[in-house]
Amino acid sequence: MDFTKPRLAVHKFTSCDGCQLAFLNSGEALITLSGLMDIVHFSEFGMVDPGAKVDIAFVEGSISTPDEEKRIRQVRENSTYVITIGACATAGGIQALRNFASHKEWMAAVYAAPGTIQALENSTAISHHIRVDWELWGCPVNTGQVMEAIRSLLSRASPRIKHDSVCIECKRNGNVCVLVAKNQPCMGPVTQTGCGALCPSVGRACYGCYGPHENPNTKSLGRWFEQYEGLSKDAIAARFLHINNQAPAFNQAGQYFKGIKIINES
């Protein structure tokens, strides 16, 4: 990588633009970044050159159309490093809920002329289509994590991405455990940190926005929800099959509590 003036791009695929907005919300840090790098493609920031060759490419959104399958391969070809940002890019996103149903039936129910809409059967993570160098989870992604990854690469170092559980962050913040003390179905024990334990810090259960941490015991947590919180199996499955429903650990747990047989389950 040429560090005299590295080039950066931010690409959007199927998503709500929330992670790009989180990027923009870095404020002064973004202005500093624009002095250190050439931001050559970032539609939300006013630069449009999707075919540019760059050193670092951030990708927001999942792959859900044939055109996106082609575009993401071009992004990989034109980029030294590819970093996915957000739940859509890393685990299919909320739109991947369609993977559990017939997308053709949904299309017919929504659009008057569904035949004019080009869509894939499933919404999939970027890593299903190309090699990804690093993944930054979240819904939306944490702005600080994005900037830290860039600083690391500018310093010729690999980004160090934390995979601690939200529970660890709660301990650091001195939070009262909402799972034990308030009997709320908190996903913190199986979710990786990144948000600073935002929801538990205001007395609410974690929603699992940042995806599973390393080696999560999802079934044990689900059984806790059932035994101590009184949740039905469908309600437990819904906790896992939400924002990061295509993350393997959450997907398998959700299907387990829905009673769906999982092939080659370890």
Side-chain angles (χ1 to χ4, degrees):
M1 178 183 294
D2 180 6
F3 280 92
T4 56
K5 194 67 170 178
R7 292 158 63 85
L8 180 144
V10 180
H11 295 274
K12 169 186 164 57
F13 289 80
T14 299
S15 62
C16 70
D17 286 22
C19 289
Q20 289 187 83
L21 291 175
F23 205 128
L24 288 174
N25 285 340
S26 56
E28 185 177 342
L30 184 59
I31 296 174
T32 302
L33 175 64
S34 65
L36 298 172
M37 306 186 71
D38 283 332
I39 303 176
V40 297
H41 175 70
F42 189 173
S43 297
E44 294 278 353
F45 199 40
M47 293 81 167
V48 180
D49 188 0
K53 292 188 178 296
V54 299
D55 299 288
I56 304 171
F58 287 96
V59 178
E60 174 198 69
S62 66
I63 303 301
S64 63
T65 70
D67 176 66
E68 288 182 335
E69 285 186 306
K70 296 177 182 177
R71 285 202 295 121
I72 194 59
R73 289 194 291 269
Q74 183 182 35
V75 169
R76 177 69 271 183
E77 183 179 342
N78 291 341
S79 310
T80 303
Y81 298 118
V82 172
I83 303 175
T84 55
I85 53 175
C88 296
T90 54
I94 197 75
Q95 63 268 23
L97 287 170
R98 79 188 201 194
N99 298 4
F100 299 101
S102 169
H103 83 291
K104 291 183 178 180
E105 291 181 3
W106 283 17
M107 295 275 284
V110 173
Y111 297 101
T116 64
I117 308 297
Q118 297 296 315
L120 298 173
E121 184 175 354
N122 294 321
S123 169
T124 49
I126 300 301
S127 62
H128 287 208
H129 302 268
I130 62 167
R131 175 178 56 85
V132 170
D133 297 291
W134 293 281
E135 295 179 328
L136 298 176
W137 295 67
C139 187
V141 71
N142 182 295
T143 302
Q145 286 185 322
V146 173
M147 292 302 165
E148 185 176 344
I150 294 172
R151 286 195 296 268
S152 295
L153 290 173
L154 289 177
S155 300
R156 301 178 184 269
S158 296
R160 298 183 62 185
I161 302 171
K162 295 180 180 178
H163 295 288
D164 296 338
S165 71
V166 171
C167 291
I168 299 297
E169 196 70 30
C170 277
K171 293 294 184 182
R172 295 185 183 123
N173 295 347
N175 295 339
V176 173
C177 179
V178 297
L179 177 67
V180 176
K182 295 188 176 183
N183 292 325
Q184 293 188 20
C186 182
M187 293 284 286
V190 297
T191 301
Q192 66 177 306
T193 189
C195 63
L198 179 63
C199 290
S201 294
V202 295
R204 299 193 62 174
C206 168
Y207 289 94
C209 299
Y210 278 72
H213 67 71
E214 292 180 316
N215 302 315
N217 194 340
T218 52
K219 291 181 182 177
S220 177
L221 181 63
R223 294 187 185 105
W224 178 284
F225 289 166
E226 185 176 24
Q227 182 175 355
Y228 295 101
E229 318 299 340
L231 267 64
S232 67
K233 284 184 168 59
D234 282 343
I236 296 168
R239 303 295 293 190
F240 290 104
L241 301 178
H242 188 211
I243 298 168
N244 289 289
N245 60 77
Q246 294 304 301
F250 283 6
N251 184 277
Q252 290 187 11
Q255 295 194 57
Y256 173 81
F257 285 101
K258 284 181 74 68
I260 301 173
K261 180 177 176 58
I262 300 172
I263 300 174
N264 295 328
E265 180 184 10
S266 59

